Amino acid sequence: MTKESKVLTTDLLYLPPLAYFVAINGASEIHVYTNAKLNRQSYANKAEVLLANKRETLTVPVHGLRKRLAIKNVKIDYHQKWLNVHLRGIKSAYGKSPFFEYFYDDLEQIYLRKPEFIIDLNLELLTLCLKFLRWNVSLVVKEEEERSSQENDLRGLIHPKSLIDKGEFYKPSPYVQIFGADFVPNLSIVDLLFCEGPAANEVLNLSRK
């Protein structure tokens, strides 16, 4: 590692909110841990998009959520009809956005491969989002039993409730969204990518606390 390297440990989230990308902006490595317990109130299997002037939560149903399994062992429940709901929801929300054709096909292909575990779906989606942002950052997958004491540990901080209470990283910087006159902050990164495309980086830079 060089002196300029910035290594962060984060939770592995589903189509993470803007606060996550603001927090990791500038990192050279992102470490995620396969033994992390899945918290059903977190963004691990939930993402928020904007549909007809309101926030809509897209939830990936999983098996064994109440058992507090390690994320590497959490299987996606394909018996529920969530996949088509998510794809239709994304099309409905962003089909008329300026960069829909630029991003959607690659996104759809990940869903259609039907990853068995939530960790694999989240990793593939995060990798794609980082690619479209053109960030030169490595995703490193590790196993760990206990919470690390390292300085750059962001686990537990990108969470719906903690962000409302603390606002650790994110200062909303408005951009033009598809629905509504009032800006809705901290939606999933797909909202920003579909609406702003290459200008997404500028918005994220302006959103730093």
Side-chain angles (χ1 to χ4, degrees), residues 48-83:
E48 293 185 319
V49 297
L50 187 60
L51 285 173
N53 304 328
K54 67 174 183 176
R55 283 181 184 264
E56 184 77 16
T57 300
L58 301 177
T59 301
V60 180
V62 295
H63 295 288
L65 191 59
R66 295 183 181 275
K67 297 179 181 179
R68 294 279 291 163
L69 297 175
I71 193 169
K72 67 178 180 180
N73 296 322
V74 177
K75 291 186 177 182
I76 298 171
D77 184 358
Y78 285 101
H79 292 293
Q80 298 190 44
K81 305 299 182 183
W82 69 271
L83 194 153

PDB file of all heavy atoms in Angstrom, residues 48-83:
ATOM      1  N   GLU A  48     -33.984   2.228  -1.938  1.00  0.00           N
ATOM      2  CA  GLU A  48     -35.065   3.194  -2.104  1.00  0.00           C
ATOM      3  C   GLU A  48     -34.941   3.914  -3.437  1.00  0.00           C
ATOM      4  O   GLU A  48     -33.879   4.434  -3.786  1.00  0.00           O
ATOM      5  CB  GLU A  48     -35.054   4.209  -0.963  1.00  0.00           C
ATOM      6  CG  GLU A  48     -35.402   3.596   0.389  1.00  0.00           C
ATOM      7  CD  GLU A  48     -35.498   4.624   1.492  1.00  0.00           C
ATOM      8  OE1 GLU A  48     -34.638   5.544   1.514  1.00  0.00           O
ATOM      9  OE2 GLU A  48     -36.404   4.529   2.325  1.00  0.00           O
ATOM     10  N   VAL A  49     -36.046   3.930  -4.179  1.00  0.00           N
ATOM     11  CA  VAL A  49     -36.105   4.638  -5.457  1.00  0.00           C
ATOM     12  C   VAL A  49     -37.275   5.616  -5.403  1.00  0.00           C
ATOM     13  O   VAL A  49     -38.046   5.630  -4.441  1.00  0.00           O
ATOM     14  CB  VAL A  49     -36.267   3.652  -6.636  1.00  0.00           C
ATOM     15  CG1 VAL A  49     -35.061   2.735  -6.738  1.00  0.00           C
ATOM     16  CG2 VAL A  49     -37.554   2.834  -6.494  1.00  0.00           C
ATOM     17  N   LEU A  50     -37.396   6.429  -6.444  1.00  0.00           N
ATOM     18  CA  LEU A  50     -38.450   7.441  -6.487  1.00  0.00           C
ATOM     19  C   LEU A  50     -39.476   7.063  -7.540  1.00  0.00           C
ATOM     20  O   LEU A  50     -39.168   6.993  -8.727  1.00  0.00           O
ATOM     21  CB  LEU A  50     -37.855   8.810  -6.802  1.00  0.00           C
ATOM     22  CG  LEU A  50     -38.810  10.010  -6.717  1.00  0.00           C
ATOM     23  CD1 LEU A  50     -39.386  10.155  -5.314  1.00  0.00           C
ATOM     24  CD2 LEU A  50     -38.087  11.292  -7.137  1.00  0.00           C
ATOM     25  N   LEU A  51     -40.706   6.817  -7.071  1.00  0.00           N
ATOM     26  CA  LEU A  51     -41.809   6.458  -7.958  1.00  0.00           C
ATOM     27  C   LEU A  51     -42.957   7.440  -7.777  1.00  0.00           C
ATOM     28  O   LEU A  51     -43.491   7.578  -6.679  1.00  0.00           O
ATOM     29  CB  LEU A  51     -42.321   5.053  -7.644  1.00  0.00           C
ATOM     30  CG  LEU A  51     -41.461   3.871  -8.095  1.00  0.00           C
ATOM     31  CD1 LEU A  51     -42.040   2.580  -7.542  1.00  0.00           C
ATOM     32  CD2 LEU A  51     -41.396   3.791  -9.605  1.00  0.00           C
ATOM     33  N   ALA A  52     -43.323   8.136  -8.847  1.00  0.00           N
ATOM     34  CA  ALA A  52     -44.498   9.023  -8.838  1.00  0.00           C
ATOM     35  C   ALA A  52     -44.571   9.871  -7.563  1.00  0.00           C
ATOM     36  O   ALA A  52     -45.556   9.846  -6.824  1.00  0.00           O
ATOM     37  CB  ALA A  52     -45.773   8.219  -9.005  1.00  0.00           C
ATOM     38  N   ASN A  53     -43.520  10.601  -7.318  1.00  0.00           N
ATOM     39  CA  ASN A  53     -43.459  11.586  -6.227  1.00  0.00           C
ATOM     40  C   ASN A  53     -43.339  10.992  -4.827  1.00  0.00           C
ATOM     41  O   ASN A  53     -43.570  11.680  -3.832  1.00  0.00           O
ATOM     42  CB  ASN A  53     -44.681  12.518  -6.249  1.00  0.00           C
ATOM     43  CG  ASN A  53     -44.821  13.216  -7.586  1.00  0.00           C
ATOM     44  OD1 ASN A  53     -43.823  13.499  -8.241  1.00  0.00           O
ATOM     45  ND2 ASN A  53     -46.038  13.493  -7.989  1.00  0.00           N
ATOM     46  N   LYS A  54     -43.011   9.727  -4.708  1.00  0.00           N
ATOM     47  CA  LYS A  54     -42.838   9.156  -3.367  1.00  0.00           C
ATOM     48  C   LYS A  54     -41.689   8.153  -3.353  1.00  0.00           C
ATOM     49  O   LYS A  54     -41.367   7.535  -4.374  1.00  0.00           O
ATOM     50  CB  LYS A  54     -44.116   8.455  -2.902  1.00  0.00           C
ATOM     51  CG  LYS A  54     -44.471   7.213  -3.686  1.00  0.00           C
ATOM     52  CD  LYS A  54     -45.666   6.492  -3.070  1.00  0.00           C
ATOM     53  CE  LYS A  54     -45.958   5.194  -3.830  1.00  0.00           C
ATOM     54  NZ  LYS A  54     -47.054   4.426  -3.201  1.00  0.00           N
ATOM     55  N   ARG A  55     -41.076   8.042  -2.188  1.00  0.00           N
ATOM     56  CA  ARG A  55     -40.065   7.003  -1.996  1.00  0.00           C
ATOM     57  C   ARG A  55     -40.719   5.631  -2.040  1.00  0.00           C
ATOM     58  O   ARG A  55     -41.783   5.424  -1.470  1.00  0.00           O
ATOM     59  CB  ARG A  55     -39.388   7.147  -0.631  1.00  0.00           C
ATOM     60  CG  ARG A  55     -38.358   8.233  -0.510  1.00  0.00           C
ATOM     61  CD  ARG A  55     -37.786   8.219   0.890  1.00  0.00           C
ATOM     62  NE  ARG A  55     -36.857   9.293   1.134  1.00  0.00           N
ATOM     63  CZ  ARG A  55     -35.535   9.198   1.022  1.00  0.00           C
ATOM     64  NH1 ARG A  55     -34.993   8.054   0.691  1.00  0.00           N
ATOM     65  NH2 ARG A  55     -34.768  10.243   1.271  1.00  0.00           N
ATOM     66  N   GLU A  56     -40.074   4.712  -2.703  1.00  0.00           N
ATOM     67  CA  GLU A  56     -40.542   3.330  -2.726  1.00  0.00           C
ATOM     68  C   GLU A  56     -39.377   2.432  -2.318  1.00  0.00           C
ATOM     69  O   GLU A  56     -38.273   2.552  -2.852  1.00  0.00           O
ATOM     70  CB  GLU A  56     -41.024   2.958  -4.122  1.00  0.00           C
ATOM     71  CG  GLU A  56     -41.614   1.576  -4.236  1.00  0.00           C
ATOM     72  CD  GLU A  56     -43.027   1.490  -3.669  1.00  0.00           C
ATOM     73  OE1 GLU A  56     -43.663   2.553  -3.466  1.00  0.00           O
ATOM     74  OE2 GLU A  56     -43.486   0.362  -3.438  1.00  0.00           O
ATOM     75  N   THR A  57     -39.618   1.548  -1.355  1.00  0.00           N
ATOM     76  CA  THR A  57     -38.582   0.629  -0.914  1.00  0.00           C
ATOM     77  C   THR A  57     -38.690  -0.675  -1.681  1.00  0.00           C
ATOM     78  O   THR A  57     -39.739  -1.324  -1.679  1.00  0.00           O
ATOM     79  CB  THR A  57     -38.699   0.348   0.596  1.00  0.00           C
ATOM     80  OG1 THR A  57     -38.557   1.574   1.314  1.00  0.00           O
ATOM     81  CG2 THR A  57     -37.605  -0.612   1.045  1.00  0.00           C
ATOM     82  N   LEU A  58     -37.610  -1.049  -2.353  1.00  0.00           N
ATOM     83  CA  LEU A  58     -37.520  -2.333  -3.035  1.00  0.00           C
ATOM     84  C   LEU A  58     -36.794  -3.303  -2.109  1.00  0.00           C
ATOM     85  O   LEU A  58     -35.644  -3.061  -1.736  1.00  0.00           O
ATOM     86  CB  LEU A  58     -36.756  -2.190  -4.350  1.00  0.00           C
ATOM     87  CG  LEU A  58     -37.332  -1.211  -5.378  1.00  0.00           C
ATOM     88  CD1 LEU A  58     -36.414  -1.120  -6.592  1.00  0.00           C
ATOM     89  CD2 LEU A  58     -38.739  -1.612  -5.789  1.00  0.00           C
ATOM     90  N   THR A  59     -37.456  -4.391  -1.736  1.00  0.00           N
ATOM     91  CA  THR A  59     -36.897  -5.336  -0.778  1.00  0.00           C
ATOM     92  C   THR A  59     -36.674  -6.686  -1.442  1.00  0.00           C
ATOM     93  O   THR A  59     -37.576  -7.227  -2.094  1.00  0.00           O
ATOM     94  CB  THR A  59     -37.846  -5.517   0.426  1.00  0.00           C
ATOM     95  OG1 THR A  59     -38.046  -4.246   1.048  1.00  0.00           O
ATOM     96  CG2 THR A  59     -37.255  -6.482   1.441  1.00  0.00           C
ATOM     97  N   VAL A  60     -35.478  -7.225  -1.269  1.00  0.00           N
ATOM     98  CA  VAL A  60     -35.166  -8.570  -1.753  1.00  0.00           C
ATOM     99  C   VAL A  60     -35.517  -9.561  -0.642  1.00  0.00           C
ATOM    100  O   VAL A  60     -34.898  -9.530   0.425  1.00  0.00           O
ATOM    101  CB  VAL A  60     -33.680  -8.705  -2.112  1.00  0.00           C
ATOM    102  CG1 VAL A  60     -33.388 -10.119  -2.625  1.00  0.00           C
ATOM    103  CG2 VAL A  60     -33.272  -7.670  -3.151  1.00  0.00           C
ATOM    104  N   PRO A  61     -36.509 -10.431  -0.838  1.00  0.00           N
ATOM    105  CA  PRO A  61     -36.856 -11.396   0.208  1.00  0.00           C
ATOM    106  C   PRO A  61     -35.767 -12.466   0.336  1.00  0.00           C
ATOM    107  O   PRO A  61     -35.222 -12.931  -0.672  1.00  0.00           O
ATOM    108  CB  PRO A  61     -38.171 -12.003  -0.289  1.00  0.00           C
ATOM    109  CG  PRO A  61     -38.123 -11.848  -1.772  1.00  0.00           C
ATOM    110  CD  PRO A  61     -37.358 -10.578  -2.038  1.00  0.00           C
ATOM    111  N   VAL A  62     -35.444 -12.816   1.553  1.00  0.00           N
ATOM    112  CA  VAL A  62     -34.386 -13.797   1.795  1.00  0.00           C
ATOM    113  C   VAL A  62     -34.870 -14.829   2.803  1.00  0.00           C
ATOM    114  O   VAL A  62     -35.802 -14.598   3.569  1.00  0.00           O
ATOM    115  CB  VAL A  62     -33.099 -13.123   2.299  1.00  0.00           C
ATOM    116  CG1 VAL A  62     -32.503 -12.213   1.227  1.00  0.00           C
ATOM    117  CG2 VAL A  62     -33.352 -12.345   3.589  1.00  0.00           C
ATOM    118  N   HIS A  63     -34.197 -15.971   2.806  1.00  0.00           N
ATOM    119  CA  HIS A  63     -34.502 -17.037   3.753  1.00  0.00           C
ATOM    120  C   HIS A  63     -33.713 -16.823   5.046  1.00  0.00           C
ATOM    121  O   HIS A  63     -32.549 -16.412   5.016  1.00  0.00           O
ATOM    122  CB  HIS A  63     -34.125 -18.400   3.162  1.00  0.00           C
ATOM    123  CG  HIS A  63     -34.929 -18.793   1.973  1.00  0.00           C
ATOM    124  ND1 HIS A  63     -36.250 -19.171   2.055  1.00  0.00           N
ATOM    125  CD2 HIS A  63     -34.594 -18.860   0.650  1.00  0.00           C
ATOM    126  CE1 HIS A  63     -36.702 -19.473   0.847  1.00  0.00           C
ATOM    127  NE2 HIS A  63     -35.723 -19.292  -0.026  1.00  0.00           N
ATOM    128  N   GLY A  64     -34.336 -17.125   6.181  1.00  0.00           N
ATOM    129  CA  GLY A  64     -33.628 -17.130   7.455  1.00  0.00           C
ATOM    130  C   GLY A  64     -33.273 -15.770   8.003  1.00  0.00           C
ATOM    131  O   GLY A  64     -32.335 -15.642   8.787  1.00  0.00           O
ATOM    132  N   LEU A  65     -34.040 -14.749   7.625  1.00  0.00           N
ATOM    133  CA  LEU A  65     -33.701 -13.393   8.059  1.00  0.00           C
ATOM    134  C   LEU A  65     -33.765 -13.244   9.571  1.00  0.00           C
ATOM    135  O   LEU A  65     -32.932 -12.569  10.183  1.00  0.00           O
ATOM    136  CB  LEU A  65     -34.648 -12.394   7.397  1.00  0.00           C
ATOM    137  CG  LEU A  65     -34.300 -10.915   7.521  1.00  0.00           C
ATOM    138  CD1 LEU A  65     -32.930 -10.633   6.938  1.00  0.00           C
ATOM    139  CD2 LEU A  65     -35.342 -10.064   6.825  1.00  0.00           C
ATOM    140  N   ARG A  66     -34.712 -13.888  10.197  1.00  0.00           N
ATOM    141  CA  ARG A  66     -34.871 -13.763  11.645  1.00  0.00           C
ATOM    142  C   ARG A  66     -33.804 -14.534  12.430  1.00  0.00           C
ATOM    143  O   ARG A  66     -33.688 -14.366  13.645  1.00  0.00           O
ATOM    144  CB  ARG A  66     -36.266 -14.239  12.066  1.00  0.00           C
ATOM    145  CG  ARG A  66     -37.392 -13.365  11.519  1.00  0.00           C
ATOM    146  CD  ARG A  66     -38.750 -13.832  12.007  1.00  0.00           C
ATOM    147  NE  ARG A  66     -39.823 -13.002  11.467  1.00  0.00           N
ATOM    148  CZ  ARG A  66     -40.222 -11.862  12.005  1.00  0.00           C
ATOM    149  NH1 ARG A  66     -39.629 -11.434  13.107  1.00  0.00           N
ATOM    150  NH2 ARG A  66     -41.193 -11.157  11.464  1.00  0.00           N
ATOM    151  N   LYS A  67     -33.054 -15.365  11.755  1.00  0.00           N
ATOM    152  CA  LYS A  67     -32.037 -16.173  12.436  1.00  0.00           C
ATOM    153  C   LYS A  67     -30.692 -15.462  12.553  1.00  0.00           C
ATOM    154  O   LYS A  67     -29.746 -16.020  13.119  1.00  0.00           O
ATOM    155  CB  LYS A  67     -31.853 -17.496  11.686  1.00  0.00           C
ATOM    156  CG  LYS A  67     -33.100 -18.368  11.662  1.00  0.00           C
ATOM    157  CD  LYS A  67     -32.856 -19.650  10.882  1.00  0.00           C
ATOM    158  CE  LYS A  67     -34.115 -20.519  10.839  1.00  0.00           C
ATOM    159  NZ  LYS A  67     -33.906 -21.766  10.065  1.00  0.00           N
ATOM    160  N   ARG A  68     -30.613 -14.245  12.041  1.00  0.00           N
ATOM    161  CA  ARG A  68     -29.363 -13.466  12.106  1.00  0.00           C
ATOM    162  C   ARG A  68     -28.191 -14.265  11.520  1.00  0.00           C
ATOM    163  O   ARG A  68     -27.134 -14.412  12.125  1.00  0.00           O
ATOM    164  CB  ARG A  68     -29.064 -13.054  13.551  1.00  0.00           C
ATOM    165  CG  ARG A  68     -30.051 -12.083  14.138  1.00  0.00           C
ATOM    166  CD  ARG A  68     -29.766 -10.668  13.696  1.00  0.00           C
ATOM    167  NE  ARG A  68     -28.521 -10.176  14.296  1.00  0.00           N
ATOM    168  CZ  ARG A  68     -27.847  -9.128  13.865  1.00  0.00           C
ATOM    169  NH1 ARG A  68     -28.276  -8.464  12.803  1.00  0.00           N
ATOM    170  NH2 ARG A  68     -26.738  -8.726  14.455  1.00  0.00           N
ATOM    171  N   LEU A  69     -28.394 -14.779  10.322  1.00  0.00           N
ATOM    172  CA  LEU A  69     -27.347 -15.533   9.655  1.00  0.00           C
ATOM    173  C   LEU A  69     -26.244 -14.614   9.155  1.00  0.00           C
ATOM    174  O   LEU A  69     -26.459 -13.427   8.907  1.00  0.00           O
ATOM    175  CB  LEU A  69     -27.932 -16.282   8.455  1.00  0.00           C
ATOM    176  CG  LEU A  69     -28.992 -17.353   8.737  1.00  0.00           C
ATOM    177  CD1 LEU A  69     -29.538 -17.880   7.421  1.00  0.00           C
ATOM    178  CD2 LEU A  69     -28.415 -18.477   9.572  1.00  0.00           C
ATOM    179  N   ALA A  70     -25.053 -15.186   8.981  1.00  0.00           N
ATOM    180  CA  ALA A  70     -23.988 -14.463   8.295  1.00  0.00           C
ATOM    181  C   ALA A  70     -24.425 -14.215   6.862  1.00  0.00           C
ATOM    182  O   ALA A  70     -25.090 -15.057   6.242  1.00  0.00           O
ATOM    183  CB  ALA A  70     -22.696 -15.264   8.323  1.00  0.00           C
ATOM    184  N   ILE A  71     -24.059 -13.062   6.323  1.00  0.00           N
ATOM    185  CA  ILE A  71     -24.547 -12.681   4.999  1.00  0.00           C
ATOM    186  C   ILE A  71     -24.147 -13.691   3.925  1.00  0.00           C
ATOM    187  O   ILE A  71     -24.868 -13.898   2.951  1.00  0.00           O
ATOM    188  CB  ILE A  71     -24.068 -11.252   4.629  1.00  0.00           C
ATOM    189  CG1 ILE A  71     -24.833 -10.746   3.402  1.00  0.00           C
ATOM    190  CG2 ILE A  71     -22.568 -11.207   4.445  1.00  0.00           C
ATOM    191  CD1 ILE A  71     -24.618  -9.275   3.120  1.00  0.00           C
ATOM    192  N   LYS A  72     -23.027 -14.391   4.128  1.00  0.00           N
ATOM    193  CA  LYS A  72     -22.596 -15.382   3.133  1.00  0.00           C
ATOM    194  C   LYS A  72     -23.553 -16.570   3.059  1.00  0.00           C
ATOM    195  O   LYS A  72     -23.546 -17.315   2.072  1.00  0.00           O
ATOM    196  CB  LYS A  72     -21.191 -15.877   3.461  1.00  0.00           C
ATOM    197  CG  LYS A  72     -21.091 -16.696   4.735  1.00  0.00           C
ATOM    198  CD  LYS A  72     -19.678 -17.189   4.987  1.00  0.00           C
ATOM    199  CE  LYS A  72     -19.599 -18.000   6.277  1.00  0.00           C
ATOM    200  NZ  LYS A  72     -18.225 -18.478   6.528  1.00  0.00           N
ATOM    201  N   ASN A  73     -24.373 -16.762   4.084  1.00  0.00           N
ATOM    202  CA  ASN A  73     -25.287 -17.903   4.139  1.00  0.00           C
ATOM    203  C   ASN A  73     -26.742 -17.533   3.853  1.00  0.00           C
ATOM    204  O   ASN A  73     -27.621 -18.394   3.901  1.00  0.00           O
ATOM    205  CB  ASN A  73     -25.220 -18.570   5.514  1.00  0.00           C
ATOM    206  CG  ASN A  73     -23.848 -19.156   5.802  1.00  0.00           C
ATOM    207  OD1 ASN A  73     -23.207 -19.706   4.914  1.00  0.00           O
ATOM    208  ND2 ASN A  73     -23.395 -19.039   7.040  1.00  0.00           N
ATOM    209  N   VAL A  74     -26.995 -16.280   3.548  1.00  0.00           N
ATOM    210  CA  VAL A  74     -28.375 -15.815   3.344  1.00  0.00           C
ATOM    211  C   VAL A  74     -28.769 -16.002   1.878  1.00  0.00           C
ATOM    212  O   VAL A  74     -28.230 -15.338   0.990  1.00  0.00           O
ATOM    213  CB  VAL A  74     -28.529 -14.341   3.766  1.00  0.00           C
ATOM    214  CG1 VAL A  74     -29.941 -13.856   3.474  1.00  0.00           C
ATOM    215  CG2 VAL A  74     -28.206 -14.178   5.245  1.00  0.00           C
ATOM    216  N   LYS A  75     -29.716 -16.902   1.661  1.00  0.00           N
ATOM    217  CA  LYS A  75     -30.179 -17.190   0.298  1.00  0.00           C
ATOM    218  C   LYS A  75     -31.358 -16.302  -0.080  1.00  0.00           C
ATOM    219  O   LYS A  75     -32.215 -16.006   0.744  1.00  0.00           O
ATOM    220  CB  LYS A  75     -30.588 -18.657   0.175  1.00  0.00           C
ATOM    221  CG  LYS A  75     -29.425 -19.636   0.269  1.00  0.00           C
ATOM    222  CD  LYS A  75     -29.907 -21.058  -0.010  1.00  0.00           C
ATOM    223  CE  LYS A  75     -28.738 -22.025  -0.002  1.00  0.00           C
ATOM    224  NZ  LYS A  75     -29.180 -23.415  -0.326  1.00  0.00           N
ATOM    225  N   ILE A  76     -31.382 -15.914  -1.335  1.00  0.00           N
ATOM    226  CA  ILE A  76     -32.498 -15.123  -1.873  1.00  0.00           C
ATOM    227  C   ILE A  76     -33.689 -16.039  -2.116  1.00  0.00           C
ATOM    228  O   ILE A  76     -33.539 -17.168  -2.594  1.00  0.00           O
ATOM    229  CB  ILE A  76     -32.067 -14.424  -3.176  1.00  0.00           C
ATOM    230  CG1 ILE A  76     -30.904 -13.454  -2.903  1.00  0.00           C
ATOM    231  CG2 ILE A  76     -33.240 -13.686  -3.804  1.00  0.00           C
ATOM    232  CD1 ILE A  76     -30.283 -12.886  -4.161  1.00  0.00           C
ATOM    233  N   ASP A  77     -34.871 -15.549  -1.792  1.00  0.00           N
ATOM    234  CA  ASP A  77     -36.105 -16.312  -1.962  1.00  0.00           C
ATOM    235  C   ASP A  77     -36.725 -15.974  -3.324  1.00  0.00           C
ATOM    236  O   ASP A  77     -37.411 -14.969  -3.478  1.00  0.00           O
ATOM    237  CB  ASP A  77     -37.087 -15.983  -0.835  1.00  0.00           C
ATOM    238  CG  ASP A  77     -38.354 -16.821  -0.905  1.00  0.00           C
ATOM    239  OD1 ASP A  77     -38.486 -17.630  -1.845  1.00  0.00           O
ATOM    240  OD2 ASP A  77     -39.214 -16.656  -0.013  1.00  0.00           O
ATOM    241  N   TYR A  78     -36.482 -16.842  -4.299  1.00  0.00           N
ATOM    242  CA  TYR A  78     -37.025 -16.617  -5.640  1.00  0.00           C
ATOM    243  C   TYR A  78     -38.439 -17.163  -5.802  1.00  0.00           C
ATOM    244  O   TYR A  78     -39.046 -17.006  -6.864  1.00  0.00           O
ATOM    245  CB  TYR A  78     -36.096 -17.223  -6.698  1.00  0.00           C
ATOM    246  CG  TYR A  78     -34.843 -16.405  -6.919  1.00  0.00           C
ATOM    247  CD1 TYR A  78     -33.635 -16.785  -6.340  1.00  0.00           C
ATOM    248  CD2 TYR A  78     -34.871 -15.245  -7.680  1.00  0.00           C
ATOM    249  CE1 TYR A  78     -32.481 -16.039  -6.529  1.00  0.00           C
ATOM    250  CE2 TYR A  78     -33.725 -14.491  -7.886  1.00  0.00           C
ATOM    251  CZ  TYR A  78     -32.533 -14.897  -7.303  1.00  0.00           C
ATOM    252  OH  TYR A  78     -31.390 -14.149  -7.496  1.00  0.00           O
ATOM    253  N   HIS A  79     -38.983 -17.804  -4.768  1.00  0.00           N
ATOM    254  CA  HIS A  79     -40.374 -18.233  -4.832  1.00  0.00           C
ATOM    255  C   HIS A  79     -41.311 -17.026  -4.766  1.00  0.00           C
ATOM    256  O   HIS A  79     -42.433 -17.080  -5.256  1.00  0.00           O
ATOM    257  CB  HIS A  79     -40.685 -19.215  -3.700  1.00  0.00           C
ATOM    258  CG  HIS A  79     -39.991 -20.538  -3.839  1.00  0.00           C
ATOM    259  ND1 HIS A  79     -40.279 -21.423  -4.851  1.00  0.00           N
ATOM    260  CD2 HIS A  79     -38.998 -21.115  -3.118  1.00  0.00           C
ATOM    261  CE1 HIS A  79     -39.508 -22.492  -4.745  1.00  0.00           C
ATOM    262  NE2 HIS A  79     -38.727 -22.336  -3.699  1.00  0.00           N
ATOM    263  N   GLN A  80     -40.839 -15.966  -4.136  1.00  0.00           N
ATOM    264  CA  GLN A  80     -41.601 -14.721  -4.149  1.00  0.00           C
ATOM    265  C   GLN A  80     -41.305 -13.968  -5.449  1.00  0.00           C
ATOM    266  O   GLN A  80     -40.199 -14.052  -5.988  1.00  0.00           O
ATOM    267  CB  GLN A  80     -41.232 -13.871  -2.936  1.00  0.00           C
ATOM    268  CG  GLN A  80     -41.560 -14.537  -1.605  1.00  0.00           C
ATOM    269  CD  GLN A  80     -41.412 -13.603  -0.436  1.00  0.00           C
ATOM    270  OE1 GLN A  80     -41.846 -12.449  -0.488  1.00  0.00           O
ATOM    271  NE2 GLN A  80     -40.798 -14.091   0.642  1.00  0.00           N
ATOM    272  N   LYS A  81     -42.274 -13.218  -5.930  1.00  0.00           N
ATOM    273  CA  LYS A  81     -42.183 -12.594  -7.260  1.00  0.00           C
ATOM    274  C   LYS A  81     -41.523 -11.218  -7.202  1.00  0.00           C
ATOM    275  O   LYS A  81     -41.953 -10.278  -7.868  1.00  0.00           O
ATOM    276  CB  LYS A  81     -43.582 -12.479  -7.871  1.00  0.00           C
ATOM    277  CG  LYS A  81     -44.337 -13.798  -7.947  1.00  0.00           C
ATOM    278  CD  LYS A  81     -43.613 -14.824  -8.805  1.00  0.00           C
ATOM    279  CE  LYS A  81     -44.412 -16.115  -8.913  1.00  0.00           C
ATOM    280  NZ  LYS A  81     -43.693 -17.159  -9.683  1.00  0.00           N
ATOM    281  N   TRP A  82     -40.443 -11.125  -6.437  1.00  0.00           N
ATOM    282  CA  TRP A  82     -39.810  -9.824  -6.243  1.00  0.00           C
ATOM    283  C   TRP A  82     -39.007  -9.377  -7.465  1.00  0.00           C
ATOM    284  O   TRP A  82     -38.907  -8.169  -7.733  1.00  0.00           O
ATOM    285  CB  TRP A  82     -38.888  -9.872  -5.026  1.00  0.00           C
ATOM    286  CG  TRP A  82     -37.670 -10.726  -5.246  1.00  0.00           C
ATOM    287  CD1 TRP A  82     -37.552 -12.064  -5.018  1.00  0.00           C
ATOM    288  CD2 TRP A  82     -36.409 -10.303  -5.772  1.00  0.00           C
ATOM    289  NE1 TRP A  82     -36.302 -12.493  -5.371  1.00  0.00           N
ATOM    290  CE2 TRP A  82     -35.585 -11.443  -5.834  1.00  0.00           C
ATOM    291  CE3 TRP A  82     -35.908  -9.075  -6.206  1.00  0.00           C
ATOM    292  CZ2 TRP A  82     -34.274 -11.381  -6.299  1.00  0.00           C
ATOM    293  CZ3 TRP A  82     -34.601  -9.005  -6.677  1.00  0.00           C
ATOM    294  CH2 TRP A  82     -33.790 -10.154  -6.718  1.00  0.00           C
ATOM    295  N   LEU A  83     -38.414 -10.322  -8.189  1.00  0.00           N
ATOM    296  CA  LEU A  83     -37.486  -9.948  -9.254  1.00  0.00           C
ATOM    297  C   LEU A  83     -38.172  -9.108 -10.321  1.00  0.00           C
ATOM    298  O   LEU A  83     -37.681  -8.027 -10.697  1.00  0.00           O
ATOM    299  CB  LEU A  83     -36.862 -11.212  -9.859  1.00  0.00           C
ATOM    300  CG  LEU A  83     -35.624 -11.006 -10.748  1.00  0.00           C
ATOM    301  CD1 LEU A  83     -34.751 -12.263 -10.709  1.00  0.00           C
ATOM    302  CD2 LEU A  83     -36.019 -10.702 -12.180  1.00  0.00           C
TER     303      LEU A  83
END
